[in-house]
Amino acid sequence: MKTPLADRIRPKTLDEVVGQKHLIGEGKILRNIIENDEVPNMIFYGPSGVGKTTIANIIAQKTGKTLHRLNATTASVADIKNIVSTLDSFLAMDGVLLYLDEIQHFNKKQQQSLLEFMENGKITLIASTTENPYFYVYNAVLSRSVVFEFKQIEPSEIEKALERAVEELKESDYKGFDVTVDKDAIRHMAHVSNGDVRKALNSLEVAFIATPPNKDKKIHISLDTAVQATQKKAMRYDRDGDSHYDILSAFQKSIRGSDPDAAVHYLARLVSAGDLPSICRRLLVISAEDIGLAYPQAISVVKACVDSALQLGFPEARIPLAEAVILLATAPKSNSAIMAIDSALSDIESMDTGDIPEHLKDSHYGGAKKLGHGTEYKYPHSYENHYVKQQYLPNNIRDTKYYDFGDNKTEQSAKVYWDRIKKGN
């Protein structure tokens, strides 16, 4: 039986692993742990197909420990006892590394059966889970382990794995054949895999199986072949190309224009392309740029939705993302904040705005009074309504106005309040 492509090209070193640079990049914590050969009990938390098993294999090779694999969906306490029986034998001279996949399916008794051996160091546990370990792993195991969160793989990184897989197929299964794979096909498989390298590699393998060589020994994997292999519609979408920015532009303009139907449509395009990072970033920008002070709580709600989406991954991520989009599209709008900061930045870049007024300078050090720093400052909280009129802008721009209250209910309420307070000063 032929070994699956994903296993055949499984990385042997950390440098070959795609993604997870926040953990295994140069100088990052997990890489340092592995290279120092002092591996603690660990829990790898993240979606499927992002390198958890691969890195566990690399750790086993690096440490020289005997690697045992168990899947908690089918394993039992008896399986753990069988592993324990090998301890102190010739087969486990350097200890055992137990890779326990889907640990959330072990009950409390099963998880506790590992504790004694985790504590004496005879078993080094690397448990993996797609669920939040703080909810599904018992405290006794959790407190003896270091949790590492694995992220979805960026499509650009998945493309690298697919290109490496194509080279592997050329050198093995299709040696002597003229093999070509369209860039669009690689890009499509990377984008529709939702950050799962294994899924993308499986799609590539299916594409090759479904494409027999012609009489001239040529094999060509086209975009159409990739679409059939993934069973997902191809979108005109290139993260570094015009279509990417066109969709994002239409997405933001639809929200800004308060059209929830169009906004959800363009969200669906982005979701179909698997572009979670761009969606999340753009929603946070829109919260501040287009809704702004008209509904200042929006950014907090959107941040919660974004965090949920990043933790859930697709397909479930579409739900909090839709919630955020509809909230923003139907919220009152104000661009007063971005207009104010951009106007201030323009002055700083184009003119001499002058020095900070003396009474506003730091006075919390010896000698400040001799320099006249802070001596004439009026503390607003000492005055009625916590306000007193004094100059805050530098002399060169003392009468400049950057912020204009928006015409929405929230900002107009603030305007009425401050007009009343400042009228008597």
Side-chain angles (χ1 to χ4, degrees), residues 6 14 63 67 70 91 133 140 182 233 235 273-274 295 322 336 342 375:
L14 293 178
T63 60
L67 177 64
L70 291 178
L91 295 174
D182 286 349
K233 178 182 176 183
M235 289 186 60
Y295 180 26
S336 60
D342 284 355
T375 54

Side-chain angles (χ1 to χ4, degrees), residues 268-404:
R269 290 198 184 194
L270 293 163
V271 168
S272 295
D275 195 356
L276 184 56
S278 291
I279 299 170
C280 292
R281 182 180 181 277
R282 189 57 61 112
L283 286 174
L284 290 169
V285 169
I286 293 168
S287 301
E289 180 179 347
D290 295 307
I291 283 72
L293 295 172
Y295 180 26
Q297 300 91 335
I299 195 166
S300 299
V301 178
V302 169
K303 178 64 166 60
C305 291
V306 163
D307 288 345
S308 297
L310 291 171
Q311 184 171 336
L312 290 168
F314 289 129
E316 289 84 357
R318 74 191 190 285
I319 304 168
L321 292 177
E323 182 180 342
V325 167
I326 294 169
L327 172 76
L328 295 179
T330 57
K333 307 296 188 292
S334 173
N335 68 342
S336 60
I338 187 174
M339 295 297 289
I341 185 60
D342 284 355
S343 180
L345 285 169
S346 177
D347 279 359
I348 288 172
E349 292 169 2
S350 64
M351 62 184 291
D352 178 12
T353 55
D355 195 16
I356 296 169
E358 296 295 327
H359 62 283
L360 298 184
K361 291 183 177 179
D362 182 22
S363 60
H364 296 89
Y365 62 93
K369 288 186 177 180
K370 293 180 180 178
L371 296 173
H373 293 179
T375 54
E376 296 182 12
Y377 174 64
K378 299 174 183 177
Y379 186 57
H381 295 298
S382 299
Y383 295 82
E384 186 180 3
N385 295 314
H386 306 271
Y387 174 78
V388 60
K389 187 175 181 179
Q390 62 184 325
Q391 180 183 336
Y392 290 98
L393 281 169
N395 284 330
N396 292 6
I397 54 171
R398 61 183 302 165
D399 297 320
T400 301
K401 188 176 183 182
Y402 292 119
Y403 172 65
D404 288 311

Side-chain angles (χ1 to χ4, degrees), residues 39-50:
V39 180
N41 298 303
M42 296 183 284
I43 296 174
F44 290 171
Y45 159 48
S48 300
V50 296

Side-chain angles (χ1 to χ4, degrees), residues 193-211:
S193 65
N194 292 333
D196 186 331
V197 178
R198 189 187 302 112
K199 184 185 293 184
L201 292 171
N202 289 343
S203 298
L204 178 67
E205 192 167 22
V206 169
F208 268 90
I209 292 171
T211 311

Side-chain angles (χ1 to χ4, degrees), residues 247-262:
I247 295 173
L248 286 174
S249 176
F251 180 53
Q252 181 163 1
K253 287 172 180 173
S254 298
I255 294 176
R256 182 185 295 150
S258 303
D259 187 331
D261 300 306

Side-chain angles (χ1 to χ4, degrees), residues 10-11 14 17-20 22-24 30 34 42-60 67 69 97-104 126-131 133 147-153 195-198:
R10 192 181 292 279
L14 293 178
V17 177
V18 296
Q20 312 311 330
H22 66 295
L23 297 177
I24 59 170
L30 184 54
I34 296 169
M42 296 183 284
I43 296 174
F44 290 171
Y45 159 48
S48 300
V50 296
K52 301 189 295 294
T53 303
T54 295
I55 291 178
N57 287 336
I58 293 171
I59 291 172
L67 177 64
R69 294 188 184 89
L97 180 66
L98 172 59
Y99 182 68
L100 180 58
D101 199 13
E102 303 294 347
I103 189 176
Q104 73 270 16
I126 300 181
S128 75
T129 176
T130 55
E131 306 291 344
V147 177
F148 292 102
E149 183 177 2
F150 283 60
K151 307 289 188 181
Q152 281 191 320
I153 310 298
D196 186 331
V197 178
R198 189 187 302 112

